Amino acid sequence: MRAFHRFALGAVLALAASTTACVSIDTSARDRPPSRPAQTSGLTPDRVAGVPIPDGQIDDAVAQLDDLAQQLLDRTGIPGMAVAVVHGGETVYAKGFGVRAAGSDDPVDVDTVFQLASMSKPVGATVVAQQVGDGTVGWDTPVIEHLPAFALADPYVTEQVTVGDLYAHRSGLPDHAGDELEDLGYDRTQVLERLRLLPLSPFRITYDYTNFGVTAAAQSVADAAGADWADLSRRVLYEPLGMSSTSSRFQDFTERDNRAPGHILVDGQYVAREVRDPDAQSPAGGVSSSVNDMAKWLTMLLADGQFGGRTVVDAKALQPALSPQVVSHAPGTPDARAGFYGYGFNVGTLASGRTSVGHAGAFALGVATAFTAVPSADVAIVTLTNAAPIGVPDTLNAEFVDLVQFGEIREDWAGLYKQAYSGYADPKGALVGQAPPADPARAKPLGDYTGTYGNPYFGPARIDERDGGLLLTIGPREQTYPLTHRDGDVFTFEVTGENAPDGTISTATFTPDTVTFEYWDTDGLGTFTREGTS
């Protein structure tokens, strides 16, 4: 899964604060002004917003959602989406637009189930918070306490890394660590046991967004509770909130009658080509839900863990998740707002001075989602779509939050997010768009390249001679890739999948004893050694 943070959104996210933004930096008690109610609002100074919201302004913002959503649907051509708004402890808006699947007449409604992609992280973080409140674990519990097989490259980090560290993406694991293994067919256990082979950045200093880091933390929590993660999520969160259409198991999504499969854009038309199975990283990207159900979760979130007159998640356990734990986007200028990440949540400051929390999610195979909550206004919006990410849910949420804050839309959010997502579907590889050499050097006899090549991280790769060419076979599912000669000992092959947009090209560069695959060499682990050589 290439989540929302995989590409640079920088200034857009800092402006919107709907997915990555900043909050006030806490100073020491000695330097902090006295915490006393402000004369004008009855709030402590750190809770006073710079721009008041007049009576009726939120209602006016809600009233404009029909037109805003339909305009986005018409302008982009995505098949469908659903939107909900929570305010004052109630769902004040919920509506579906478009169709569940392109070419069908089945409408999206408020109970249509979408895959959430990375919006699963804040949902899962509330499961963890519930367990923290129950005393099963703490945010500061070392992961190995309940997942003793877990290890990273540095023994010190292995011993010290906590559930919170992994939920804040500050373990030092590289960006999207393990995702490429999942694409090759490795299951959760197999991916987690290989994370120890990855190089680490400085511990608790570096922010690099990962799915399997979060998954390792969640697995540790589930093991502490003696439950499967999907079952634990259902028992402690979905059932207490009445989220009957929500699950952290892919099979449940596939068995829903009222579901919206993902769509990708092919030759100008949206088509449902493949449904993403995210079970291996379920805590990070495997939740499926409807806007009706997500509205219940948002109601609980805005009420500090309360729902229906009872405590679902302890407020003291939840607050750290909604607080900045690491800088996720450093400001580029002194007058710019920074971005922060909590435990599974982006936390920020809006242009009006109000704090916000939010997250977005994206599957290249056809999912884009986002939610934004403004606690001081007691309002939150969630938008779910069944199309590959081009900024639709982010745009609608940002426009709505502008209306909530100012009574008008102040930025060209559609243009900003279109630009931010413009490279999301771009193919990867140094040779993309490059013409073959006019006079390439000849390859060696094909038999010189055949054999099995080992790699501790990716596992074995087999090169066979087939139909006058070379064929690469790799991964537990034995995925195959025909190799095309490029120049001398360099061959190429096309890669497709969740993390490889259409048109991605990788080189395969042979030496007498090794082959290096460009696509799998991001972290320097893409060299495979021929078995039987030293």
Side-chain angles (χ1 to χ4, degrees), residues 125 128-134 137-139 301 303-306 311-323 325 343:
V128 176
Q130 192 279 335
Q131 289 293 283
V132 171
D134 270 9
V137 296
W139 287 111
L301 205 65
D304 297 329
Q306 299 290 309
T311 299
V312 176
V313 181
D314 179 74
K316 291 183 179 179
L318 180 60
Q319 184 57 40
L322 307 178
S323 304
Q325 302 293 339
Y343 295 145

Side-chain angles (χ1 to χ4, degrees), residues 246-328:
T246 303
S247 175
S248 293
R249 188 173 282 114
F250 178 64
Q251 182 178 344
D252 292 339
F253 172 73
T254 63
E255 292 177 352
R256 307 278 188 200
D257 291 331
N258 187 2
R259 70 181 184 278
H263 294 71
I264 61 172
L265 195 62
V266 178
D267 297 328
Q269 299 292 323
Y270 279 99
V271 297
R273 188 172 71 177
E274 183 179 353
V275 178
R276 170 88 162 89
D277 178 354
D279 269 355
Q281 53 167 266
S282 174
V287 179
S288 56
S289 188
S290 66
V291 292
N292 255 356
D293 275 10
M294 290 303 295
K296 297 173 183 177
W297 176 75
L298 288 171
T299 299
M300 180 273 297
L301 205 65
L302 289 173
D304 297 329
Q306 299 290 309
F307 186 81
R310 60 186 290 257
T311 299
V312 176
V313 181
D314 179 74
K316 291 183 179 179
L318 180 60
Q319 184 57 40
L322 307 178
S323 304
Q325 302 293 339
V326 65
V327 176
S328 58

Side-chain angles (χ1 to χ4, degrees), residues 444-451 453 465 510-512 530:
K444 295 182 178 68
L446 295 183
D448 288 3
Y449 302 111
T450 60
Y453 296 75
E465 189 173 350
F510 290 88
T511 72
R530 190 193 297 268

